[in-house]
């Protein structure tokens, strides 16, 4: 369901500046069937709610594991560590090319099966069989037992009983998802829904150059996800980015308002102008000029061919960015016309801390200049993410006081309201 189309910003047009339009009469919040009253943040500070959330949200949803490019050939594997669920997931590409997921636990004495120097760290590699470091039991790439050291010493071993414990795993558009339910209540495609499916026509597979940054953040995971679901904060949190000479109405920095929102069940999406909306961003900076790249991406990206019919679902002029928030904790951001994308993951570590991971994906560089342009974008994204993380750190400190019971959300914060609505009602 979407709110009505937005009217033109005649003031901006009169000034000869391309702007996002102002909202017409109507409300995104009401159009999406959401309450317009104050929002409680008890889901971000209450340890008891956190324990319930782990079960009701993370153990009952399809969760993002990684990209198919992390399993580039048969026999490759990687692990996903989720300590808040006491879980290590092992993803393997079998000799039949099928991607499978298992609990990363040997069925002999319960040792961790695939790990390197530090058992709490994620690992990756390639193998023909998976061997336990403790007593040498081996499993094939389908998770079936292939060797038991001194097998005659055991009592009535049955192959089915000692196969690796499977986890439901499906791949969509190259994104690997897993479900911890014994019997998932929906297939992955049913969980995503047909509106999200349209993204699969985007050529993600051409962007295999990966840069990874991760960090602990001193806030509940939803607070940082909220920060990436609205632009209302941009003139203040990212003040170095704001052009003070740009058109604005008082302190209401109209250029930073988003023109289109969508909700698809529990999932959300917004469309923004990015570098093509001329919305008051001080750019380029000297280093941007030097490297031919900025926060928005390289200025001369390689051609990736057709981008499919899933991008810019709002069909706005000056399209620059689609941001898809897939329930519960994955963002996929596609930068229009710059031909790259990134993912954000927010993994809880306690009621008021989380682990933030962002992956940036580009077409492989052809030369050193291409590589440096990509790295300049990576560093720019990192800079702004640090600013957001600092803001939500301060927010978490204040929320702990419990001084305010309900917080005011404007219509531009509708996607954050939508997330908390579903989390609190799951």
């Amino acid at each position: 369901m979407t709110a009505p189309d937005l009217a033109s910003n005649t003031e901006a047009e009169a000034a000869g500046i391309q702007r996002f339009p102002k909202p017409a009469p109507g409300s995104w919040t009401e159009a999406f069937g959401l309450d317009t009253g104050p929002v409680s943040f008890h889901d971000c500070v209450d340890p008891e709610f956190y324990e319930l959330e782990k079960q009701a949200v993370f153990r009952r949803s399809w969760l993002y594991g990684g990209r198919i490019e992390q399993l580039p050939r048969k026999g490759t594997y990687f692990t996903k560590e989720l300590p808040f669920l006491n879980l290590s997931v092992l993803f393997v590409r079998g000799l039949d090319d099928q991607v499978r997921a298992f609990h990363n636990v040997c069925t002999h004495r319960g040792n961790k099966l695939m790990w390197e120097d530090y058992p709490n760290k994620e690992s990756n590699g390639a193998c023909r069989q998976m061997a336990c470091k403790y007593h040498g039991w081996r499993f094939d790439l389908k998770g079936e037992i292939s060797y038991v050291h001194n097998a005659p010493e055991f009592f009535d071993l049955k192959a089915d009983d000692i196969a690796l414990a499977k986890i439901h795993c499906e791949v969509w558009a190259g994104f690997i998802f897993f479900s911890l339910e014994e019997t998932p209540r929906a297939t992955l495609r049913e969980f995503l829904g047909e509106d999200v499916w349209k993204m699969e026509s985007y050529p993600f597979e051409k962007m295999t150059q990966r840069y990874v940054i991760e960090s602990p953040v001193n806030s509940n995971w939803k607070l940082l996800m909220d920060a990436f679901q609205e632009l209302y904060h941009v003139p203040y949190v990212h003040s170095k980015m704001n052009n003070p000479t740009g058109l604005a109405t008082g302190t209401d920095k109209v250029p930073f308002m988003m023109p289109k929102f969508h909700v698809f069940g529990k999932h959300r999406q917004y469309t923004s102008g990015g570098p093509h909306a001329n919305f008051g961003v001080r750019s380029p900076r000297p280093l941007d000029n030097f490297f031919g790249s900025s926060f928005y991406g390289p200025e001369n990206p390689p051609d990736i061919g057709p981008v499919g019919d899933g991008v810019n679902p709002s069909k706005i002029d000056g399209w620059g960015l689609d941001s898809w928030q897939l329930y519960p904790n994955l963002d996929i951001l596609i930068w229009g016309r710059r031909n790259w994308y990134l993912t954000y993951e927010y993994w809880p570590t306690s009621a008021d801390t989380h682990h933030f991971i962002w992956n940036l994906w580009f077409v492989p560089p052809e030369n050193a200049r291409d590589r440096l342009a990509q790295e300049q974008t990576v560093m720019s994204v990192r800079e702004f993410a640090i600013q957001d993380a600092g803001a939500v750190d301060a927010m978490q400190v204040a929320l702990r006081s419990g001084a305010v019971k309900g917080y005011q959300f404007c219509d531009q914060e509708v996607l954050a309201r939508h997330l908390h609505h579903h989390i609190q009602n799951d």
Side-chain angles (χ1 to χ4, degrees):
M1 180 179 183
T2 61
D5 286 343
L6 305 181
S8 296
N9 183 344
T10 56
E11 182 183 8
E13 292 173 354
I17 300 173
Q18 182 185 4
R19 296 281 184 202
F20 286 167
K22 285 185 178 180
S27 162
W28 295 107
T29 306
E30 292 171 326
F32 296 154
L34 297 172
D35 187 278
T36 58
V39 175
S40 168
F41 277 124
H42 76 279
D43 59 330
C44 296
V45 295
D46 184 352
E48 292 184 6
F49 187 96
Y50 170 67
E51 294 301 321
L52 294 172
E53 180 182 75
K54 288 193 292 186
Q55 303 304 317
V57 175
F58 288 94
R59 288 193 177 273
R60 294 182 184 173
S61 302
W62 283 93
L63 304 176
Y64 174 61
R67 280 287 304 175
I68 195 67
E69 288 83 6
Q70 295 171 252
L71 300 172
R73 61 187 184 277
K74 298 174 182 179
T76 51
Y77 70 89
F78 69 90
T79 65
K80 186 82 171 178
E81 303 299 319
L82 303 175
F84 77 108
L85 296 176
N86 297 316
L87 189 68
S88 175
V89 183
L90 171 61
F91 297 96
V92 181
R93 189 167 193 155
L95 298 179
D96 57 359
D97 245 359
Q98 183 174 340
V99 176
R100 296 178 175 85
F102 305 97
H103 288 277
N104 191 16
V105 180
C106 178
T107 55
H108 169 220
R109 290 265 294 279
N111 202 45
K112 195 165 194 175
L113 183 61
M114 304 301 283
W115 59 283
E116 295 176 6
D117 295 331
Y118 303 97
N120 291 323
K121 300 292 184 181
E122 294 180 351
S123 62
N124 62 84
C127 62
R128 301 285 291 187
Q129 296 186 86
M130 298 173 285
C132 181
K133 294 177 171 63
Y134 198 11
H135 296 97
W137 280 35
R138 296 199 294 267
F139 303 84
D140 66 19
L141 300 182
K142 293 182 179 181
E144 298 173 358
I145 191 71
S146 59
Y147 173 76
V148 174
H149 181 60
N150 282 350
E153 293 293 317
F154 287 85
F155 307 94
D156 195 25
L157 287 180
K158 294 182 175 63
D160 288 345
D161 294 340
I162 56 177
L164 295 181
K166 295 179 180 179
I167 294 175
H168 295 281
C169 178
E170 295 186 27
V171 180
W172 167 79
F175 294 90
I176 304 170
F177 287 83
F178 64 100
S179 170
L180 298 174
E181 291 189 292
E182 184 174 345
T183 302
R185 61 195 66 195
T187 66
L188 175 60
R189 288 185 72 83
E190 290 169 340
F191 176 78
L192 294 175
E194 60 183 20
D195 292 291
V196 177
W197 300 349
K198 296 175 183 178
M199 258 202 302
E200 64 192 358
S201 59
Y202 187 75
F204 294 106
E205 73 281 356
K206 294 185 178 180
M207 284 152 268
T208 58
Q209 180 70 27
R210 177 189 180 213
Y211 302 86
V212 185
I213 305 175
E214 52 188 305
S215 176
V217 180
N218 292 320
S219 81
N220 183 274
W221 65 278
K222 295 179 290 296
L223 297 184
L224 190 56
M225 195 170 196
D226 288 346
F228 295 121
Q229 297 185 119
E230 47 91 356
L231 298 183
Y232 186 53
H233 71 282
V234 169
Y236 305 99
V237 174
H238 308 298
S239 58
K240 292 181 181 178
M241 188 181 170
N242 184 43
N243 181 354
T245 65
L247 182 66
T249 303
T251 58
D252 300 332
K253 303 292 185 179
V254 173
F256 289 91
M257 300 300 99
M258 277 187 261
K260 287 285 186 177
F261 300 97
H262 297 273
V263 295
F264 313 110
K266 294 182 179 181
H267 312 300
R268 303 165 302 284
Q269 189 269 343
Y270 73 75
T271 300
S272 172
H276 306 291
N278 187 23
F279 58 11
V281 173
R282 180 186 285 128
S283 182
R285 299 175 297 179
L287 281 177
D288 297 335
N289 284 326
F290 182 79
F291 288 108
S293 181
S294 69
F295 173 80
Y296 304 116
E299 293 177 1
N300 297 298
D303 182 18
I304 59 173
V307 294
D309 59 0
V311 298
N312 191 15
S314 306
K315 308 304 178 187
I316 68 166
D317 294 332
W319 168 64
L321 170 68
D322 288 339
S323 177
W324 298 79
Q325 294 88 40
L326 303 188
Y327 189 87
N329 65 328
L330 172 67
D331 283 355
I332 303 173
L333 291 87
I334 299 173
W335 286 94
R337 308 179 194 176
R338 295 297 180 98
N339 299 344
W340 68 288
Y341 77 98
L342 57 84
T343 58
Y344 291 149
E345 303 169 57
Y346 316 82
W347 294 103
T349 50
S350 72
D352 51 12
T353 62
H354 74 280
H355 191 65
F356 181 47
I357 307 170
W358 60 110
N359 287 258
L360 302 91
W361 298 87
F362 299 84
V363 174
E366 294 185 355
N367 50 50
R369 186 167 187 81
D370 289 349
R371 175 66 183 252
L372 290 171
Q374 292 177 2
E375 292 184 357
Q376 170 65 6
T377 291
V378 172
M379 291 298 99
S380 297
V381 171
R382 177 180 177 273
E383 175 185 347
F384 294 119
I386 289 173
Q387 293 170 5
D388 285 307
V392 298
D393 278 7
M395 186 176 180
Q396 189 74 44
V397 170
L399 289 178
R400 290 193 197 108
S401 71
V404 179
K405 303 305 178 185
Y407 294 86
Q408 307 299 320
F409 279 43
C410 74
D411 212 29
Q412 282 285 311
E413 297 163 301
V414 61
L415 299 190
R417 184 189 291 271
H418 181 269
L419 171 63
H420 290 273
H421 168 80
H422 281 286
I423 292 291
Q424 293 176 16
N425 287 281
D426 261 7

